[in-house]
Amino acid sequence: MSYIRKDSGSVELADGIRNLGFQDADVVTDFPPHSSPRDAVERKDSAAEIDDSVYAQVEPYAGMPKEVLLLYSSQARYRVPREVLFWLTVCCTLALVAVTVAIIALSPPCLGWWQISPVYQVYPRSFKDSDGDGVGDLRGIKEKLDHFHSLNIKSIWISPFYRSPMKDFGYDVEDFRDVDPLFGTMEDFEELLAEMHKNGLKLIMDFIPNHSSDRHRWFNLSRTRDPLYEDYYVWADCNATKKPNNWVSIFGNSSWTYDEVRGQCYLHQFLKEQPDLNMRNPAVRKEIIDIIHFWLSKGVDGFRMDAVKHMLEATHLRDEPQVDPNKPPEEVTTEWDLFHDYTTSQVGLHDILREFRAEMEPYSREPGKYRFMVTESYDYEEVEKTMMYYGTPLVKESDFPFNFYLLDLPQNASGLWAKHLVDLWMSNMPRGKWPNWVVGNHDRSRIASSAGKMYVRVINMLLLTLPGTPTTYYGEEIGMENINITADQVQDPFGKYNLSNSRDPQRSPMQWNSDMNTGFNNLTNITWLPVHPDYKSVNVEVQKDSEGSTMFQYNFLNSLRQAELPFLRGWFCYVQADANIFSYLRELDGHKEAYLMVLNFGKQSATTDLSSVRELPDQLKVLMSTNSINNGKVFQKSGIQTEAGEGLVIRYSTYTRFHPSHATECYVSEKACYLDTVGILYKC
Ligand code: GLC
Ligand code: MG
């Protein structure tokens, strides 16, 4: 309401009502000439007494002077609600702050992107060829980003695409700051990365700190003894026939090659075209760190550190002990003939990796830009060596070292063996660390070929329901098989040394559809390796929407894993292991739904009796079976049936937890509990 002031000492309200109570503040405080301030106070007091009764009949009005306002506001009917509101606001604010602090303090840390999504390995030569030269490329990967979306996969590791003479298909790097023209250009890379980030995908690069190509500029400067580069590689005196020692290359034969230019031998733990960098030289480490910065500032989200255990060698260059001391030295030619006491896992190796990691940390601090590191080291039975790559509670190293134990699953098809391999990791992993599982990569046979087709689904089920990050090699989601390679088709240098070592069989083109070249190259009729003949039935297009297909099941399990807290956050407990069955459960305190996995890795069908497991309800309903006709089936817990190669995910409801009474059978990385009523997680 507006009002019009009149000089008369009253005010006329805009809608014509005269408010007699209006007193101009000036009038009240205006002292008559020659009167003292005390007189004025007395006058004011008496005026207030008079006014009190007048005001009592008048409603408060907008624009009333301070004195009038105070008069009203001190009345109980105004004061009390005001005070109540004031204290209510104070209390609410304090409560809100307290709740926020409590939630922050009680919440378990958020999981990182590298924990939530599986890591998908793209072998760029074989994924998708966009220009028809028969070799996959970066633009090809960009064309296929939808595939990751449809699989609910966010983390993509791309094997090397650096400029390279391709002796080891990119693991022999000529320029660590450039893209090989076979794979595209730096612009292609930048576009791919931008497109991936736009789609919420993370790009993990392969990083090769142990060696370069013999065509790298550094190597040429080193063999010509340029003073700055002289010690960039590992050189030793020798002559064309007498090598410095008995060390052998992973790819076979001596790991020393005589260089005529320099008149010395250089070390190569892999091909002779892959000379080992001298990581003891600070200038070399500085070069490597600069390259890490180069790619991190381009925005890559992490690195897969290649062949890290080979980074340092003993400087004394003594012979390594032979596995069979009676073998004639000239027959000592393979990795398996020697104990690698002086060429792998040398003291100082972890300091180097930790230094790399420290260089990555500032980039990780950018909000939402965590940079991830995974290390590749095959330590076989020396599991404690692998665990070192987790770093220490105080010094960070890799987020996890690759866990290769499940690659041995096909060696012995049984539930006990599966449990043994899983437990190798779980019982040796440092407390609070995050596990991971690899069932295939570009160096190892595909599951369908090593284990047999009938085990592909159950192995994927294991991979996606264990705690930690699963790794999937391209094609495993559709159950691709190895191809057969004849001696004249061999591409892999390792296969040229010995055909049975060839890694070509697991590197065949990704099977996209039933068209020409399975959609890998739809421009010309060339592919760098033959396409598997089963591509008409085993491909992404046919499997995508077909319920019960390997890919459909992969997708279902991956989505379940990401949607259901017991899988990402919960306990992992062994329930049973025998000749056929490996059974375990996933549960979370306070979460009503829990999951029982019954996986048959054996050769026979089995009836599993879990009646002694008190925590399980009597009736168990199958949420998903690898054999989809069994979906929804209900079993008594005393008789859970599975065929050889069948896996079951059983969902059941109970608040009774298994882990409290089976502490030695259970693991959790970071303890968390769930408050069902409000749906939040808290530390417990
Ligand atoms: C790693 C790679 C392998 C490569 C070797 C040498 O083991 O996975 O493919 O040949 O390192 O770089
Ligand atoms: Mg080395």
Side-chain angles (χ1 to χ4, degrees), residues 120-335:
Y120 186 100
Q121 182 189 356
V122 169
Y123 195 66
R125 288 184 80 81
S126 308
F127 200 59
K128 167 74 190 165
D129 174 17
S130 73
D131 60 5
D133 64 356
V135 176
D137 43 51
L138 297 180
R139 279 172 180 268
I141 301 173
K142 199 170 119 213
E143 283 172 23
K144 290 295 185 185
L145 296 184
D146 262 6
H147 183 56
F148 308 130
H149 182 69
S150 66
L151 287 174
N152 202 3
I153 284 175
K154 300 266 185 268
S155 313
I156 319 296
W157 152 34
I158 308 181
S159 288
F161 46 84
Y162 305 98
R163 183 179 284 278
S164 160
M166 299 292 164
K167 296 289 179 203
D168 189 17
F169 297 122
Y171 284 98
D172 49 324
V173 181
E174 185 181 333
D175 186 346
F176 288 100
R177 290 186 173 80
D178 203 2
V179 172
D180 196 274
L182 202 58
F183 295 126
T185 62
M186 190 55 93
E187 283 72 56
D188 292 336
F189 166 77
E190 282 160 1
E191 277 173 31
L192 170 66
L193 182 63
E195 194 62 22
M196 285 179 65
H197 284 169
K198 213 168 92 191
N199 287 284
L201 302 173
K202 303 287 184 181
L203 194 158
I204 302 162
M205 275 185 81
D206 223 305
F207 196 85
I208 304 139
N210 179 63
H211 45 265
S212 73
S213 157
D214 61 342
R215 299 255 292 272
H216 197 290
R217 192 177 61 93
W218 300 335
F219 190 69
N220 278 321
L221 292 165
S222 194
R223 72 208 297 212
T224 52
R225 289 189 184 269
D226 180 296
L228 285 178
Y229 295 89
E230 204 172 343
D231 293 330
Y232 263 45
Y233 294 84
V234 183
W235 295 97
D237 288 337
C238 73
N239 59 46
T241 48
K242 179 91 187 77
K243 298 291 158 72
N245 56 32
N246 72 344
W247 297 355
V248 292
S249 146
I250 300 297
F251 292 146
N253 295 329
S254 174
S255 56
W256 296 98
T257 291
Y258 180 71
D259 179 55
E260 290 200 346
V261 179
R262 176 148 162 165
Q264 271 190 313
C265 276
Y266 64 89
L267 177 80
H268 51 88
Q269 297 215 41
F270 294 90
L271 293 178
K272 72 174 188 345
E273 292 87 357
Q274 292 169 298
D276 269 49
L277 285 160
N278 176 13
M279 293 300 277
R280 294 189 189 275
N281 181 345
V284 173
R285 292 203 300 274
K286 168 85 173 49
E287 295 273 13
I288 298 294
I289 286 170
D290 287 350
I291 298 162
I292 290 179
H293 285 282
F294 175 83
W295 291 103
L296 287 178
S297 34
K298 283 211 175 278
V300 303
D301 302 286
F303 297 111
R304 173 259 188 196
M305 294 285 179
D306 179 77
V308 287
K309 72 173 182 184
H310 301 279
M311 280 204 292
L312 292 176
E313 299 80 23
T315 48
H316 55 58
L317 303 185
R318 285 189 203 126
D319 278 358
E320 285 188 326
Q322 286 184 205
V323 174
D324 173 3
N326 300 321
K327 205 169 197 180
E330 59 283 3
E331 284 175 30
V332 171
T333 54
T334 78
E335 183 189 358

